[in-house]
Amino acid sequence: MALACAALPARAQGLFDDNEARRRIEALRQQVQALEASQAAAAEKLSKVEAASADPASRDAILDLAQQIESLRGEIAKMRGQVEVLSNQADTAAQRQKDLYVDIDTRLRKLEQAAEKPAAAPEKPAAAAPAAPEAGEQRGYQAALDQFKLGNYALAVSAMQGFLVTYPNSSLAPNAQYWIGLAYSGQRDYKNAIAAQRQLLTVWPASDKAPDAMLAIASAQEAMGSKAAACTTLAEVMSKYPTSPSAASAKQRAANCKR
């Protein structure tokens, strides 16, 4: 189980990496707008020159302006292509992150259930617990998780919150709170994402999800542009949970703090 968990951070390391792509997209769009403005200005100047005179000197000026406009058109087309490529990369990264979240949670739940079975075996016969509540919990949790998987982040938040109200003492409660935070991040509501993860750390400090929640806080802080705060949180993950898989991931990401 430890080996399986240790393999997860390597896959989760790229969470929210599409933010850099989106920043580059915005920068390129601004450059495209500037080039389009330059093209419009050059075209207007060309029209004035053409209207003013048709002597050889004017024709040279017209030719020069026409070449400038053609060059600007080429630059604009090139940048638009780059914007399209980056947009596709960002969308692909977002989908990959969403699928990765679900895969990680599914695998961890299987490992947790496998570890709980031997400990849950009673030393002497006991009355079987009703299966309906446990089945109901699992259905409610899975339904909320499915909303996240479909990208319905607002519905995922509401569904997970409803699950916590219905099953406040469920073993899945920390997981539900964790996904609330990630669903907020999926909506780029990083302030509420951080608040949700801090709620997990306050109510379930000993949960296996606690180091994951702290790592998610660092990701949200980084997405908000608070690099110093993110680096501090990564250091806290390594200090408070040194043996956790999240600490290994935090150590790798903390290397960027020195740059």
Side-chain angles (χ1 to χ4, degrees), residues 27 63 68 81 87 91 94 107 114 121 125 134 138 147 155 160-161 168 184 197-198 208 216 229-230:
L63 180 60
Q68 290 181 31
S87 295
D91 292 341
R107 293 175 63 187
E134 182 178 350
Q138 186 62 48
Q147 293 300 325
L155 289 176
M160 287 296 182
Q161 288 174 338
Y184 276 127
Q197 301 296 6
R198 292 199 186 283
D208 291 340

Side-chain angles (χ1 to χ4, degrees), residues 11 14-19 22 87-103 146-153 179 186 188:
R11 298 186 60 199
L15 301 185
F16 300 101
D17 285 346
D18 63 318
N19 290 303
R22 296 187 187 282
S87 295
N88 290 335
Q89 289 177 348
D91 292 341
T92 300
Q95 182 62 43
R96 186 167 58 249
Q97 289 168 9
K98 182 172 63 177
D99 293 341
L100 181 57
Y101 294 148
V102 176
D103 178 63
D146 287 344
Q147 293 300 325
F148 182 95
K149 185 175 181 181
L150 291 170
N152 300 327
Y153 299 124
W179 287 109
R188 291 179 172 74

Side-chain angles (χ1 to χ4, degrees), residues 27 30 35 49 55 57-58 81 83 115-116 195 200 204 206 213 226 229 239 242 256:
Q30 292 176 1
L35 285 171
V49 170
D55 59 37
S58 296
V83 168
E116 289 170 359
L200 188 157
W204 300 280
S226 303
S239 174
N256 295 325

Side-chain angles (χ1 to χ4, degrees), residues 4-90:
C5 289
L8 295 177
R11 298 186 60 199
Q13 185 179 355
L15 301 185
F16 300 101
D17 285 346
D18 63 318
N19 290 303
E20 178 60 28
R22 296 187 187 282
R23 283 194 289 271
R24 290 174 61 191
I25 289 170
E26 184 58 30
L28 281 172
R29 282 178 176 159
Q30 292 176 1
Q31 292 179 36
V32 169
Q33 291 174 356
L35 285 171
E36 288 176 338
S38 298
Q39 180 186 354
E44 182 179 357
K45 186 175 180 181
L46 176 60
S47 298
K48 290 180 178 178
V49 170
E50 288 176 333
S53 176
D55 59 37
S58 296
R59 286 197 296 271
D60 290 342
I62 291 171
L63 180 60
D64 182 60
L65 284 171
Q67 290 174 343
Q68 290 181 31
I69 291 173
E70 188 62 28
S71 177
L72 287 170
R73 285 174 178 167
E75 288 295 322
I76 290 172
K78 180 180 178 181
M79 287 190 173
R80 282 176 174 164
Q82 292 175 354
V83 168
E84 183 66 24
V85 170
L86 286 172
S87 295
N88 290 335
Q89 289 177 348

Side-chain angles (χ1 to χ4, degrees), residues 43-259:
E44 182 179 357
K45 186 175 180 181
L46 176 60
S47 298
K48 290 180 178 178
V49 170
E50 288 176 333
S53 176
D55 59 37
S58 296
R59 286 197 296 271
D60 290 342
I62 291 171
L63 180 60
D64 182 60
L65 284 171
Q67 290 174 343
Q68 290 181 31
I69 291 173
E70 188 62 28
S71 177
L72 287 170
R73 285 174 178 167
E75 288 295 322
I76 290 172
K78 180 180 178 181
M79 287 190 173
R80 282 176 174 164
Q82 292 175 354
V83 168
E84 183 66 24
V85 170
L86 286 172
S87 295
N88 290 335
Q89 289 177 348
D91 292 341
T92 300
Q95 182 62 43
R96 186 167 58 249
Q97 289 168 9
K98 182 172 63 177
D99 293 341
L100 181 57
Y101 294 148
V102 176
D103 178 63
I104 289 173
D105 188 71
T106 301
R107 293 175 63 187
L108 284 176
R109 283 302 304 161
K110 288 180 180 179
L111 291 171
E112 290 168 1
Q113 290 171 356
E116 289 170 359
K117 284 181 180 179
E123 295 181 358
K124 57 183 180 180
E134 182 178 350
E137 290 176 21
Q138 186 62 48
R139 284 197 300 272
Y141 176 80
Q142 190 60 49
L145 190 59
D146 287 344
Q147 293 300 325
F148 182 95
K149 185 175 181 181
L150 291 170
N152 300 327
Y153 299 124
L155 289 176
V157 169
S158 298
M160 287 296 182
Q161 288 174 338
F163 175 85
L164 289 173
V165 170
T166 306
Y167 306 104
N169 300 318
S170 171
S171 61
L172 292 168
N175 297 53
Q177 185 66 34
Y178 174 73
W179 287 109
I180 288 173
L182 289 188
Y184 276 127
S185 289
Q187 299 175 81
R188 291 179 172 74
D189 185 352
Y190 299 115
K191 183 177 180 180
N192 277 325
I194 292 172
Q197 301 296 6
R198 292 199 186 283
Q199 177 72 6
L200 188 157
L201 295 171
T202 299
V203 180
W204 300 280
S207 168
D208 291 340
K209 281 293 184 184
D212 295 338
M214 193 168 288
L215 198 61
I217 290 174
S219 295
Q221 290 169 331
E222 186 176 359
M224 293 173 69
S226 303
K227 184 177 179 181
C231 291
T232 299
T233 303
L234 291 173
E236 194 174 354
V237 174
M238 293 183 284
S239 174
K240 285 190 173 182
Y241 310 100
T243 61
S244 69
S246 293
S249 180
K251 183 177 180 180
Q252 292 176 343
R253 292 171 57 181
N256 295 325
C257 295
K258 300 177 182 179
R259 298 176 182 175

